[in-house]
Amino acid sequence: MILTALNDYYQRLADDDKVPLPGFSSEKVSFCLIFSQEGKPLQIDDLRDTTGKKPRPSSCQVPVDKRRTSGIHAYPLWDKTAYALGFSDGEGKRLVDEHEAFTARQFALFGESDDPDLMAFLRLLDQWRPEQLVELPGYSEEVLDTNVIFRLDGQRQYLHENREACRLWGAALESSEGESGQCLITGKIAPLGTDHPAIRGVRDAQSSGASLVSFNSDAYESYGYSKNQNASISKAAIFGYSTGLNHLLRGDADNRQRLQIGDATVVFWAKARDTAHAEAAEGFFAMLNEPPSDEQEAAKLGTLLAQVAEGRPLAELDPMLEPATQFFVLGLAPNAARLSVRFWHIDSLENLAQHYAHHHQDMSLEPSPWKGMTPGTWRLALQTAPIHGDRAKAEDLLPQLAGELMRSILTGSRYPRSLLTNIVMRFRNDGKISGIRVALCKAVLAREARHAVHSNSTTQEVPVGLDPHSTHPGYLLGRLFAELENAQRGALGNEVNATIRDRYYGAASATPASVFPMLLRNVQHHLSNMRKKDKGGLAHKIEGEIGSIIDGLGDRFPRSFRIEDQGRFAIGYYHQSQARFAKKDSAAKNAEDEQGESE
């Protein structure tokens, strides 16, 4: 199914002239050798992109018939310098053999042609001496071991773009077609292929590419077939799926169909009635996973998702987003010389939009820790990693957790339970009780409640904002802990080296009975200290808040909390702490308004 969808995507790209035709491949080319009609080499042209800090090879569609492995195999009308020019950092018999193989293949393919450009090229090869390279204008050591193409002096097109060369190359491919059979992808009887091109662009995979389809052991073979003959796929379909996937994985700055989630490189594409609607769906999905940095645009997207969650049809919100558009999401991870499929998901655009809307709803928290739109999946996954300095490191992220999180968002299923466990562990280890981490706790608990097996479940709803009526012990004790910390800050100000959160948060959230009695005794000293410093009003407010929270608790503190209760504790702590700041902001705003009116 994956290969079929990728092959269909290739057909769409091919119809729009965005990918090479069969027998060609987009390869990185750095230099071009220019030669005369007499076959004399004239100069080396640098084709690299120099707009960045470091020159980068340009992408060219060049003839390719199969993937080169450890053996010697030359390509038509282009290759790396060892093959095409017989010049490399290395030396020895292999270098000679590679250049001889390149020359022999060009004569075998084009030796009978009377095309003047091809005849000039063959004269160049016949007269070429590798040591000539260093004498040419434009030569530098940067040329060595790069891919080079050729151009006849006075021509605008490169030699591999020559019409006669392309015709001869196509004829050669047809004559080399082997055994025919039924293709597993298209279902048609066609020449079968055995060589699957390398897939490039998956992070941490081999730089030369890795295989998505391969058989490297007898244990995976059957019915007497060897290696890739076990995958009965036509040459055309092999070219289609591999070209489509490599296009999705390309490293261009404008590629918005590729995401990195943990160790999984994620690509996505759509199948709609025309290219315009498919691209609109792909752009919409890209924004869902990497929200726009502009606050207004992010807010618009958040509003759209809220309307989807309320049941409004997607097509009413944007006519280009057709609900029936089929959507594909593929997550790939490196596995030695091969690729592992982390996840594969197919759904309609309408269902995906609803799932993301529910995710946006589950993550909602007041006050919001972000502006506009829920952060992307990658940023959410990073919250489970330890904080080093001001930020988490990607290498500390559990790769499977990131993939499970992405899958739960795509399918609308429960978030991974390990997500809540890891977040709570981070609270206790690094003390970073950030809004985005609290929102993740709230999302896991809210979705668990919604997916509860028993419809008559008595589990309390997880509040979005401060809920003074909640009687959940975890939530109440989180609020109480925030007020105790507020009392400490009110009494000691900025002179305190470590607050009670720094010292007691872990114990308070996991084993309340062991900590809260002591904290409640100490708070009386803080309240008394505030009254002595003419902060009697503040002390009275805090004391009243503490009293109202304690009234909602039972006769004794719980001895221990489950991981879910610890999540509620964090939510209560966040709500109570942020409510204090909100009151300060509101008071400051009212004072400014009153001053403005008096003026």
Side-chain angles (χ1 to χ4, degrees):
M1 189 63 186
I2 296 175
L3 303 186
T4 301
L6 285 168
N7 186 55
D8 291 342
Y9 177 63
Y10 165 78
Q11 300 303 326
R12 177 189 127 191
L13 295 173
D15 291 342
D16 295 334
D17 295 324
K18 293 182 178 179
V19 288
L21 297 173
F24 289 79
S25 175
S26 293
E27 302 291 338
K28 301 300 183 182
V29 175
S30 298
F31 296 92
C32 174
L33 189 150
I34 301 173
F35 59 96
S36 68
Q37 190 67 52
E38 292 76 27
K40 180 182 177 182
L42 300 178
Q43 68 181 65
I44 296 290
D45 270 3
D46 192 338
L47 304 180
R48 295 175 298 175
D49 180 2
T50 57
T51 56
K53 294 182 179 179
K54 185 178 180 181
R56 295 179 300 172
S58 299
S59 181
C60 289
Q61 296 185 11
V62 290
V64 172
D65 51 351
K66 70 175 185 177
R67 176 182 176 184
R68 183 158 58 208
T69 54
S70 58
I72 293 178
H73 179 76
Y75 295 124
L77 307 176
W78 76 281
D79 218 314
K80 63 180 184 177
T81 57
Y83 276 87
L85 305 175
F87 207 97
S88 172
D89 274 342
E91 56 183 23
K93 188 175 185 304
R94 183 178 175 93
L95 180 61
V96 175
D97 291 344
E98 287 174 346
H99 183 54
E100 288 180 352
F102 179 82
T103 303
R105 185 152 204 212
Q106 314 312 309
F107 275 93
L109 287 170
F110 311 116
E112 302 298 323
S113 173
D114 57 1
D115 182 85
D117 294 3
L118 292 175
M119 292 173 65
F121 175 62
L122 296 178
R123 281 194 288 270
L124 168 70
L125 294 181
D126 200 36
Q127 303 169 26
W128 175 257
R129 292 176 293 105
E131 56 271 19
Q132 288 178 277
L133 179 62
V134 298
E135 301 171 359
L136 294 177
Y139 169 79
S140 70
E141 290 186 355
E142 293 179 329
V143 176
L144 298 181
D145 297 319
T146 63
N147 290 330
V148 296
I149 55 179
F150 299 87
R151 179 169 65 83
L152 182 64
D153 188 33
Q155 295 277 19
R156 297 186 62 183
Q157 67 177 11
Y158 297 110
L159 193 60
H160 63 269
E161 298 171 333
N162 177 285
R163 181 176 297 180
E164 178 64 10
C166 292
R167 186 190 70 79
L168 292 173
W169 175 236
L173 289 176
E174 290 181 5
S175 65
S176 65
E177 291 179 348
E179 179 184 355
S180 293
Q182 187 173 32
C183 176
L184 292 173
I185 292 179
T186 64
K188 299 177 181 178
I189 302 298
L192 301 179
T194 57
D195 186 73
H196 292 251
I199 304 302
R200 300 186 181 95
V202 175
R203 182 181 290 182
D204 296 329
Q206 293 182 351
S207 58
S208 58
S211 298
L212 186 59
V213 177
S214 69
F215 299 78
N216 68 327
S217 173
D218 294 345
Y220 310 118
E221 298 175 355
S222 58
Y223 295 99
Y225 291 107
S226 64
K227 298 187 177 180
N228 288 338
Q229 289 178 333
N230 287 268
S232 178
I233 304 176
S234 67
K235 291 182 177 179
I238 289 174
F239 179 82
Y241 93 75
S242 60
T243 304
L245 182 52
N246 278 321
H247 178 80
L248 289 167
L249 289 166
R250 69 195 186 280
D252 298 349
D254 63 344
N255 182 10
R256 299 188 64 205
Q257 291 176 255
R258 169 182 167 175
L259 303 166
Q260 194 65 41
I261 310 294
D263 73 333
T265 301
V266 181
V267 293
F268 55 88
W269 65 100
K271 185 178 182 180
R273 58 190 174 99
D274 57 38
T275 299
H277 286 84
E279 289 180 347
E282 290 158 359
F284 175 62
F285 189 80
M287 283 198 299
L288 291 177
N289 287 280
E290 292 186 354
S293 55
D294 181 83
E295 289 184 24
Q296 276 191 322
E297 292 300 317
K300 286 180 184 177
L301 184 58
T303 302
L304 185 148
L305 286 179
Q307 291 173 324
V308 171
E310 291 168 0
R312 287 208 44 196
L314 197 60
E316 284 186 13
L317 303 172
D318 187 339
M320 293 300 292
L321 301 178
E322 296 185 326
T325 297
Q326 197 172 22
F327 216 88
F328 308 90
V329 186
L330 173 64
L332 298 172
N335 181 17
R338 282 164 289 282
L339 298 175
S340 298
V341 176
R342 273 273 187 257
F343 51 84
W344 167 241
H345 185 69
I346 307 173
D347 210 338
S348 69
L349 183 63
E350 183 175 41
N351 285 343
L352 275 178
Q354 288 174 351
H355 293 156
Y356 270 86
H358 291 148
H359 168 65
H360 181 68
Q361 206 171 43
D362 290 336
M363 286 289 296
S364 60
L365 190 68
E366 292 180 3
S368 179
W370 49 80
K371 296 180 180 179
M373 180 64 187
T374 305
T377 312
W378 173 236
R379 186 179 165 198
L380 295 179
L382 272 178
Q383 303 308 311
T384 63
I387 302 293
H388 300 278
D390 295 330
R391 57 191 303 180
K393 292 184 178 179
E395 54 264 30
D396 292 331
L397 180 61
L398 295 174
Q400 291 184 340
L401 175 58
E404 290 170 1
L405 174 59
M406 182 70 178
R407 189 183 293 109
S408 67
I409 295 172
L410 291 173
T411 61
S413 59
R414 285 182 170 91
Y415 294 106
R417 176 53 65 94
S418 57
L419 177 62
L420 179 61
T421 304
N422 275 272
I423 292 293
V424 169
M425 184 172 64
R426 295 274 66 81
F427 287 152
R428 301 183 66 179
N429 289 351
D430 58 37
K432 185 75 172 179
I433 310 173
S434 64
I436 189 170
R437 282 179 168 180
V438 174
L440 280 169
C441 288
K442 184 257 177 183
V444 173
L445 295 172
R447 189 165 291 194
E448 286 282 350
R450 195 167 66 247
H451 283 269
V453 177
H454 303 290
S455 58
N456 60 347
S457 173
T458 57
T459 302
Q460 290 190 31
E461 184 178 349
V462 185
V464 176
L466 180 64
D467 182 6
H469 306 294
S470 174
T471 58
H472 193 284
Y475 186 78
L476 283 171
L477 287 176
R479 291 182 59 204
L480 178 58
F481 192 78
E483 278 306 312
L484 295 176
E485 183 186 30
N486 186 24
Q488 184 190 38
R489 289 187 181 278
L492 304 179
N494 296 326
E495 298 174 9
V496 60
N497 293 323
T499 67
I500 63 170
R501 187 184 77 178
D502 300 322
R503 291 182 176 179
Y504 301 112
Y505 180 89
S509 62
T511 54
S514 67
V515 174
F516 273 99
M518 178 267 293
L519 294 177
L520 286 173
R521 287 194 299 271
N522 289 344
V523 77
Q524 298 305 320
H525 299 295
H526 296 320
L527 295 173
S528 176
N529 197 357
M530 278 190 281
R531 292 188 181 100
K532 293 176 183 178
K533 294 182 178 180
D534 296 329
K535 294 183 179 180
L538 177 61
H540 179 73
K541 287 181 181 179
I542 293 175
E543 192 171 28
E545 194 73 24
I546 290 174
S548 66
I549 295 172
I550 290 178
D551 288 343
L553 293 167
D555 296 334
R556 61 183 63 184
F557 293 107
R559 296 185 63 181
S560 62
F561 271 159
R562 298 178 305 157
I563 200 73
E564 296 87 352
D565 299 326
Q566 294 181 50
R568 295 254 188 178
F569 185 98
I571 298 168
Y573 174 84
Y574 177 82
H575 282 161
Q576 192 70 26
S577 300
Q578 295 300 314
R580 181 171 73 248
F581 297 134
K583 289 175 184 176
K584 288 182 180 179
D585 292 342
S586 177
K589 186 177 185 303
N590 290 337
E592 289 178 4
D593 292 342
E594 290 175 5
Q595 184 178 2
E597 290 175 2
S598 64
E599 291 175 354

